[in-house]
Amino acid sequence: MTDVKPAQPLDATPGNGPIQWRVLKFGGSSVATATGWDRIADAARAAAGEARRFVIVVSALKGVTDRLEQAVRALEGRSPEATAALIDELRDRHARLARATGIQSGALDPLLDDLAAALREQAAAPEDARHGARVLGFGELLSSRLGHAILAAQGVAVDWLDSREVLRADDDSRRNERARWLSADCTVAPDPAFAAALGDRGAAWIAPGFIARGENGDTVLLGRGGSDVSAALIGTRLGAERVEIHSDVPGLFTADPRRIPAARLLRNVSYREAMELAAMGAKALHPRALIPLKRHRIPLWLCQTERPDIDGTRITPEAHEHGAQVKAIVQRRGITLVTMEGLDMWQQVGFLADVFGVFRDHGLSVDLVSTSESNVTVTLDPGANPTDRATLDRLAADLGRFCQVDVRSDCASVSLVGLGIRTILHRIGPALEVFEQRRIFLVSQAANDLNLTFVVEARHAEKLVQQLHQQIIPGGVGGDSVFGPSWDRLNRDEAAIRAVPPWWSQRADDLLETLGDDDAAYVYALDQVRAAAARLKTLRTVDRVLYSMKANPHPDLLRAIVGEGLGVECVSMAEARHVLAAVPELAAEDLLLTPNFAPRAEYREALDAGIPLTIDNPWLLEHWGADLAGRSVFLRIDPGSGLGHHKMVRTAGSNAKFGVPLDELERTLRLARAHDITIRGLHAHTGSGILHPDNWERSLEVLTGIATELPSVEVINLGGGLGVPDRSDELPLDLMALDAGLARIKRALNRDVQIWLEPGRYLVAAAGVLLARVTQLKGKGEVRYVGVATGMNSLIRPALYGAWHEIVNLSRLGKAGEHAYNVVGPICETGDVLGLDRLLPESREGDVLLIANAGAYGAAMASRYNLREPAVEKVIDAERR
Ligand code: ASP
Ligand code: MG
């Protein structure tokens, strides 16, 4: 560290304003590379500009603490050769980093000599944890000393601060001796005098994480991963404006992103939620770091060192204002479940005390508990307990004195985490169907109202997390204040997907002119339909896209879509006849007919016309097999909730009317063979309005599993369900992520199989709007009603499934909302509502309201209820004017 460039002082001199400290912590992977140090230097410059005073806290280079721990365990200090080899190894490791950053590392030699001495002392008195703590602390001493020189060479002047001067371990004699050395507690509070004194000595510092001062000035550790804790404690003592933890991930996610690439970055999280997530194993953060920050309301920002462009997770006192919401789905494996049954326990005083006494005597800490009159079930937390067979057997034997005991060690917990879980249980109801046919051993809703936990067999946990995540966490790739971009999205370079303003916001005049004198009309923008088709054509893994015409069979739309090269999927022969008549260039084989419980004549007609057919019921082969003999068909599979980890396991809800359940598959294939029917394709459709790109990947997984054993399969049809954002803060489906996911699975099937998709909504929903003139206004107490000329007779989705459609006053577009209105139609039904509580400008009779995203399942489902004709349909085309 001799020939460093002269350091330029940063603009970090004390000014007149209040002293603002900031603490920035960098983890082991960040400090291990030269580019990591470039980023640290950038961050230091930024902090100097904004906060004026800062402390950089560093971990040891990645792997160094592990290596030292190993040396301590193996008593390497006993052998001079082993000690020398270890010292050389560490010298080398740091020298390589020094060279890569353009400096020399000779100045670390005295520290390495001290380390050698510490190792010898440790090996001489291995039972004394004091020495082990001292050895482990060298990792951070080395990295911070080296970092000090690297930053100086980069022109960032910082001083080296000994954290042991800032942090003193609590004098807690109740804790066991080892814990006091290796995982010391340290209580601090903002200390303005200290902060000011440190500021007088220097404005910019670098300090080793992980270590603090114990009694007699010895080095103690703050527990493995404790540099986060150091940063939080130093930040607290300095009363910092915030603490930043920079690591190799940008923050906390809605699920473990390594397992679920669609997991979304959490932007705003409360301390309690963060604590829960960190305790559940989110690796971006040590849970203990949050304790002092929460108490003293110091914000904590998580950031990714290599990606300063990403706004990571912010943990702040204000975050609870985002309200009740499930923020993450997490699993913990290695859970041991202990079930204690016994009728005698009913109303027996002291029963729980007795059994918990047994746990205590075995040194086991209990995590979750549920009790009933005859059963007490608890789990043991793997982190805190030795759960080897022998321990568990001894436990069971002792508990057996009080009750019948069953111990299962193959469990996992799956938790929904978020503030106010209790208040939103009704909203997640449908998602809980994923537990159908899965045994739940224990359910626990934490009294802090932060998590709802299910204990299940470990082998089901992964799938459950996936499914709950898909159903509960909003899809999309970013854009709102709580859920940020998905992991997948963040790790690709392409320009970010943006929410674009809707096309109609630029075309109000055109739309009003198109409505003319009518009171209500659907207006479809053909250019928007074409644009959606063009987007789908960018999917490289998808060989063919069929428009699911039930969404909107308007002839102009059909022509536009077929004109873009898409095929058409029909669900009835009437649809097939309609589209063949509307689009003359379309041939029978461009269609795919997927009827469900249709009469026999319809199948015969399709076969005669040469329209490819999907069948979804073995009954049909059993009874009408002769009609199909010698033909090739598609088979629609019901992958159920997709829970079966073995492909032939039945997981379908018995209520599903579509598709062949997996447990009927073998029989269906047998029937097909008997009639010489070839299964040319497999089909599955999982749902609709899905904004999670990984949904289709799951279907593909199930279907490729079946295709592997069915060589006749040439096509896998993944159905539709591609969602369209309904609200302005939702982002569109990430087609690139969808493509990438499909490609991953397709590669695994070592055969050339085509992949088809059948979107309906995706092509036409956003292209269509419903325009309706205001008829009357009404006030009822607090509630204001605005009536329009058409209602559920034109658009039944809000009444039928509570669908949310954006509504604006097109005649007063751009005017700020003044009142919350219920937008209702003229139909004689209380349910005739188009939107509740919509903020609109003061609206008058004759104004035109626009109901957005009405191109799919609007006119197609319209009726003449009340003998009111539904809105007429009109077509505009920006490209043909
Ligand atoms: N180096 C220490 C460890 O690996 C502390 C840290 O990195 O946070 O546990
Ligand atoms: Mg860490």
Side-chain angles (χ1 to χ4, degrees):
M1 279 180 271
T2 40
D3 61 12
V4 296
K5 283 184 239 148
Q8 291 145 30
L10 292 166
D11 177 23
T13 42
N16 295 326
I19 297 173
Q20 289 282 50
W21 284 97
R22 190 179 292 179
V23 174
L24 302 89
K25 180 258 169 177
F26 291 87
S29 11
S30 309
V31 298
T33 64
T35 48
W37 281 101
D38 289 342
R39 294 290 87 75
I40 297 173
D42 291 343
R45 287 187 200 100
E50 292 169 25
R52 305 216 315 270
R53 296 185 176 189
F54 64 90
V55 180
I56 292 173
V57 175
V58 292
S59 284
L61 307 200
K62 191 180 168 78
V64 167
T65 314
D66 288 341
R67 181 66 188 89
L68 291 171
E69 201 170 38
Q70 184 194 336
V72 164
R73 231 179 298 116
L75 304 179
E76 287 179 26
R78 279 191 185 162
S79 142
E81 295 78 39
T83 306
L86 173 62
I87 297 297
D88 283 348
E89 185 187 325
L90 292 175
R91 180 183 291 113
D92 240 47
R93 178 87 202 273
H94 290 82
R96 260 183 283 133
L97 174 60
R99 273 198 302 280
T101 55
I103 64 162
Q104 286 171 3
S105 58
L108 295 182
D109 284 345
L111 264 179
L112 290 165
D113 292 342
D114 290 352
L115 170 57
L119 274 164
R120 280 189 293 271
E121 278 172 46
Q122 183 270 329
E127 64 300 328
D128 191 345
R130 163 205 328 242
H131 302 304
R134 179 153 171 245
V135 169
L136 261 62
F138 274 93
E140 272 70 8
L141 291 173
L142 289 163
S143 66
S144 58
R145 286 289 188 189
L146 183 62
H148 178 218
I150 294 173
L151 289 178
Q154 303 231 3
V156 176
V158 295
D159 289 318
W160 188 81
L161 174 66
D162 190 339
S163 337
R164 291 165 294 193
E165 186 194 321
V166 190
L167 304 179
R168 272 163 205 277
D170 297 348
D171 182 15
D172 186 352
S173 45
R174 280 164 312 168
R175 297 197 64 202
N176 90 33
E177 183 69 17
R178 284 182 65 77
R180 285 166 65 192
W181 288 107
L182 301 177
S183 179
D185 282 330
C186 193
T187 310
V188 296
D191 182 346
F194 175 80
L198 186 66
D200 287 343
R201 280 164 54 197
W205 300 87
I206 184 168
F210 196 32
I211 55 174
R213 167 156 311 175
E215 298 158 51
N216 311 322
D218 288 315
T219 300
V220 299
L221 304 177
L222 298 174
R224 285 308 307 268
S227 294
D228 289 355
V229 184
S230 305
L233 292 170
I234 293 174
T236 303
R237 179 124 195 247
L238 292 175
E241 47 149 15
R242 73 168 180 252
V243 173
E244 298 178 356
I245 292 186
H246 298 249
S247 68
D248 50 5
V249 288
L252 301 168
F253 282 81
T254 55
D256 181 348
R258 285 161 305 168
R259 293 169 194 273
I260 301 187
R264 297 179 66 182
L265 177 63
L266 286 163
R267 289 194 195 285
N268 285 287
V269 180
S270 68
Y271 294 105
R272 289 164 59 207
E273 288 168 324
M275 196 111 72
E276 198 79 13
L277 288 170
M280 292 285 191
K283 67 173 196 140
L285 180 61
H286 195 299
R288 275 170 75 189
L290 286 158
I291 299 167
L293 298 177
K294 172 173 188 283
R295 181 169 310 140
H296 300 288
R297 300 172 65 83
I298 295 173
L300 175 63
W301 290 15
L302 304 178
C303 336
Q304 183 172 351
T305 310
E306 293 291 331
R307 295 288 304 273
D309 56 309
I310 300 173
D311 285 331
T313 303
R314 297 184 176 184
I315 302 161
T316 59
E318 296 80 39
H320 67 269
E321 285 155 19
H322 292 276
Q325 198 156 31
V326 175
K327 298 228 173 113
I329 322 276
V330 291
Q331 63 164 313
R332 225 143 117 220
R333 304 180 81 85
I335 302 264
T336 301
L337 185 86
V338 184
T339 310
M340 293 158 278
E341 298 261 1
L343 281 173
D344 321 349
M345 68 177 71
W346 189 42
Q347 294 187 337
Q348 190 184 309
V349 174
F351 176 81
L352 285 177
D354 288 343
V355 297
F356 284 130
V358 175
F359 286 94
R360 182 199 50 218
D361 296 345
H362 286 271
L364 294 169
S365 90
V366 165
D367 190 15
L368 305 172
V369 184
S370 91
T371 77
S372 73
E373 281 159 8
S374 63
N375 174 303
V376 180
T377 303
V378 306
T379 65
L380 303 176
D381 174 344
N385 293 299
T387 45
D388 55 289
R389 204 60 252 173
T391 308
L392 295 178
D393 287 346
R394 282 196 303 273
L395 173 78
D398 283 357
L399 288 171
R401 288 187 285 128
F402 301 98
C403 51
Q404 264 181 36
V405 191
D406 181 35
V407 179
R408 305 188 58 132
S409 47
D410 55 346
C411 296
S413 65
V414 171
S415 309
L416 313 186
V417 179
L419 278 179
I421 289 268
R422 216 186 319 236
T423 60
I424 49 171
L425 282 180
H426 61 283
R427 274 206 266 132
I428 57 178
L432 300 185
E433 277 170 20
V434 304
F435 289 105
E436 191 186 18
Q437 299 185 24
R438 293 279 161 264
R439 208 168 141 210
I440 300 177
F441 296 121
L442 183 155
V443 181
S444 132
Q445 194 235 303
N448 62 10
D449 206 13
L450 269 173
N451 86 55
L452 178 65
T453 296
F454 302 87
V455 178
V456 294
E457 274 180 75
R459 66 195 174 101
H460 297 322
E462 184 99 30
K463 208 76 198 186
L464 285 171
V465 172
Q466 230 161 41
Q467 296 203 306
L468 288 167
H469 187 267
Q470 197 169 92
Q471 301 202 28
I472 295 177
I473 303 296
V477 287
D480 65 31
S481 56
V482 173
F483 300 106
S486 67
W487 172 260
D488 223 52
R489 173 82 245 162
L490 287 170
N491 289 290
R492 275 181 292 118
D493 293 336
E494 298 91 284
I497 283 191
R498 285 168 301 118
V500 286
W503 62 272
W504 45 258
S505 62
Q506 325 291 326
R507 281 153 77 175
D509 294 341
D510 189 9
L511 285 168
L512 289 169
E513 195 184 307
T514 307
L515 178 64
D517 293 334
D518 284 317
D519 279 333
Y522 274 108
V523 183
Y524 307 131
L526 283 189
D527 45 290
Q528 296 300 315
V529 175
R530 279 191 221 101
R535 285 197 298 277
L536 290 175
K537 287 193 289 188
T538 64
L539 292 168
R540 274 177 286 161
T541 321
V542 175
D543 300 280
R544 187 149 182 246
V545 181
L546 301 160
Y547 169 50
S548 177
M549 68 174 280
K550 64 180 190 284
N552 190 330
H554 192 286
D556 289 354
L557 269 55
L558 291 170
R559 280 190 283 271
I561 289 167
V562 172
E564 290 296 308
L566 274 59
V568 178
E569 191 251 350
C570 323
V571 293
S572 69
M573 268 312 292
E575 280 192 352
R577 286 191 295 268
H578 172 81
V579 68
L580 287 171
V583 193
E585 71 263 34
L586 203 62
E589 59 267 25
D590 298 328
L591 306 185
L592 176 63
L593 180 68
T594 308
N596 174 251
F597 290 104
R600 186 171 189 170
E602 217 165 316
Y603 291 86
R604 286 184 165 160
E605 193 186 339
L607 290 165
D608 287 347
I611 298 174
L613 189 62
T614 304
I615 57 169
D616 80 337
N617 189 354
W619 188 93
L620 217 136
L621 297 173
E622 219 165 14
H623 296 86
W624 309 338
D627 291 359
L628 292 154
R631 306 280 194 152
S632 289
V633 296
F634 289 75
L635 191 63
R636 176 168 183 171
I637 306 288
D638 177 356
S641 33
L643 283 170
H645 64 285
H646 185 283
K647 62 180 180 294
M648 296 299 170
V649 173
R650 175 185 175 147
T651 56
S654 37
N655 295 331
K657 104 177 163 119
F658 298 103
V660 177
L662 292 174
D663 67 348
E664 284 265 40
L665 184 59
E666 289 209 6
R667 189 169 78 89
T668 309
L669 296 177
R670 228 182 304 120
L671 285 164
R673 275 194 301 275
H675 292 285
D676 187 27
I677 298 167
T678 308
I679 307 298
R680 186 190 151 201
L682 297 171
H683 172 276
H685 175 78
T686 41
S688 56
I690 300 166
L691 288 170
H692 274 287
D694 63 356
N695 173 64
W696 296 271
E697 196 178 322
R698 299 270 116 39
S699 303
L700 184 57
E701 225 170 351
V702 176
L703 295 187
T704 49
I706 300 169
T708 316
E709 282 153 40
L710 266 186
S712 63
V713 170
E714 300 159 1
V715 176
I716 289 181
N717 180 351
L718 297 177
L722 289 79
V724 171
D726 286 316
R727 299 178 191 251
S728 59
D729 69 354
E730 282 174 335
L731 283 184
L733 177 65
D734 186 348
L735 288 179
M736 277 180 291
L738 169 67
D739 209 15
L742 294 184
R744 247 193 320 269
I745 310 244
K746 191 177 178 179
R747 267 197 300 278
L749 181 77
N750 288 316
R751 198 166 95 219
D752 207 17
V753 166
Q754 290 196 15
I755 294 184
W756 295 6
L757 280 183
E758 302 175 333
R761 228 181 130 54
Y762 187 86
L763 283 156
V764 294
V769 295
L770 174 61
L771 305 182
R773 243 179 248 290
V774 173
T775 51
Q776 306 179 19
L777 294 129
K778 183 183 279 182
K780 260 190 168 180
E782 296 285 277
V783 186
R784 285 171 194 258
Y785 289 90
V786 55
V788 290
T790 193
M792 65 192 288
N793 55 327
S794 290
L795 184 64
I796 201 170
R797 300 184 73 247
L800 195 59
Y801 18 76
W804 192 94
H805 288 261
E806 184 170 0
I807 300 180
V808 298
N809 186 326
L810 193 64
S811 309
R812 299 169 201 278
L813 201 60
K815 269 198 83 185
E818 284 166 79
H819 309 293
Y821 288 104
N822 288 346
V823 181
V824 297
I827 301 298
C828 228
E829 287 284 340
T830 305
D832 183 25
V833 174
L834 294 170
L836 289 175
D837 262 343
R838 300 311 176 85
L839 197 64
L840 295 171
E842 172 98 43
S843 299
R844 307 251 163 81
E845 182 190 350
D847 280 1
V848 176
L849 299 197
L850 176 149
I851 297 109
N853 273 6
Y857 305 101
M861 293 174 87
S863 75
R864 294 178 63 236
Y865 186 38
N866 288 190
L867 297 188
R868 285 189 189 277
E869 291 298 330
V872 295
E873 297 176 86
K874 305 188 179 201
V875 173
I876 55 176
D877 190 350
E879 287 161 20
R880 305 276 151 90
R881 272 188 309 166

